[in-house]
Amino acid sequence: MRRERAKASAPGKVILWGEHFVVYGSTAVVTAIDCRVDVVCSLIGEGVSIRSGRAVCSKRGGVVRCSSSSAWRTLHPLMGLVEAMLSELGGADGVEVVISSDMPRGAGLGSSAAVSAATAKALSTLLGHELSPSDVKRWAMRAEQEIHGRPSGIDPHITTVGGTLTYRRPDTWEGIELPSSLRLLVIDTGERRSTGKLVEKVSRFAAENRTIFEELKAFYDELVKEALDTLKTLDLKRMGELMRLNQLLLRAVGVSTEDIERAVEVLQRSGAYGAKLTGAGGGGCVIAVAEDDELEKICERTSRAFPRVWVARCSEPGVRVEEE
Ligand code: PMV
């Protein structure tokens, strides 16, 4: 049944092991975290209007109006998604989309995929359709392709289904049942970057250093097998060591930065078993594992150097309708 208004939320994610290598067919391990985006869709007279904080874009009768050029850059893939969904699902002359998020953007936590998935869910609910998870993913993937060019599909996938899972492109995945709850440290270095450019950077590295890249990838493929074993018992110490090794590989392919290296070092010096960048790198977030009862203390110790540090809960639920 069509509604006047519908709300949905979707989680961000951290990649525990395997960013970039996943683009080349390796298996990555990813978990949904307790940072969510909320999207509210409402019926309006005509056209599409999208608001995210102070950024607003609207399109009526083919005329686009935006609060700034950066608002257009951020919101136009979503505009395309909403228009395509309206034309495929029908049932409304106009829609307003309002996004609110407690997740930093462009920081490796998958905020764009979460926004797309929550929009697909809220809009389809508004129009009286119940989308299957694979349809939500398809719509979110469409927007990601416009944003990143060559996404592996890991972000649309995890934000749709949630939990913790292995992922291999184009669409092979297996859920991982953790033996107990898992929390991690996350530092946002504050450096913003573009996933598309970093994926291109790695692709240039791989083309110019074929043998070395193949060897790094083979090393990663061995590492992830052991990483999966550590998750069966939540062997935090070994998980940390494998994160350190994964970070060395990411540094070797050129996606680490001085700030990331500093964050990794501060976390490890403060008591974490291991830390690594998460997502595309080039800035963004760093994650670390430590004993659960040490997390808050490590947070405190690192917060002077990196004020944007917090403890995140893992294996959170995927996209869902929120009843208001
Ligand atoms: O867009 P991010 O920073 O959340 O990271 C995506 C992970 C990559 O492996 C770098 C790209 C991809 O599509 O898998």
Side-chain angles (χ1 to χ4, degrees), residues 9-206:
S9 74
K13 62 93 187 44
V14 296
I15 295 178
L16 299 173
W17 296 278
E19 46 277 277
H20 290 291
F21 294 103
V22 69
V23 175
Y24 297 85
S26 295
T27 298
V29 187
V30 61
T31 187
I33 58 169
D34 58 344
C35 287
R36 298 186 81 85
V37 302
D38 286 324
V39 173
V40 175
C41 290
S42 318
L43 294 177
I44 54 172
E46 59 160 327
V48 176
S49 163
I50 305 182
R51 180 149 52 86
S52 175
R54 270 177 299 181
V56 188
C57 280
S58 64
K59 194 168 175 185
R60 273 188 198 91
V63 180
V64 177
R65 287 205 173 80
C66 280
S67 54
S68 64
S69 53
S70 82
W72 174 242
R73 274 197 303 280
T74 314
L75 297 178
H76 83 89
L78 206 60
M79 180 72 81
L81 171 69
V82 172
E83 287 184 314
M85 285 187 73
L86 281 176
S87 97
E88 192 170 308
L89 303 178
D93 295 327
V95 170
E96 182 193 48
V97 179
V98 179
I99 300 155
S100 45
S101 167
D102 59 2
M103 207 187 307
R105 243 176 231 279
L109 301 184
S111 82
S112 62
V115 168
S116 303
T119 303
K121 190 76 179 172
L123 184 54
S124 54
T125 305
L126 181 82
L127 301 174
H129 292 262
E130 199 172 320
L131 289 189
S132 66
S134 66
D135 282 330
V136 174
K137 249 187 306 180
R138 179 171 60 85
W139 285 114
M141 186 67 177
R142 187 201 133 106
E144 286 293 281
Q145 268 157 347
E146 203 172 318
I147 301 166
H148 301 313
R150 196 190 169 193
S152 64
I154 193 168
D155 285 12
H157 192 94
I158 187 68
T159 195
T160 302
V161 305
T164 300
L165 48 94
T166 60
Y167 182 84
R168 199 147 56 82
R169 73 183 303 176
D171 201 23
T172 307
W173 63 284
E174 210 174 316
I176 299 173
E177 221 36 77
L178 299 178
S180 55
S181 62
L182 173 65
R183 298 192 306 154
L184 297 170
L185 286 150
V186 184
I187 281 182
D188 177 9
T189 62
E191 274 182 286
R192 295 291 170 258
R193 77 299 173 281
S194 134
T195 298
K197 287 197 182 128
L198 286 146
V199 169
E200 257 175 52
K201 185 172 185 194
V202 175
S203 143
R204 273 199 307 279
F205 176 91

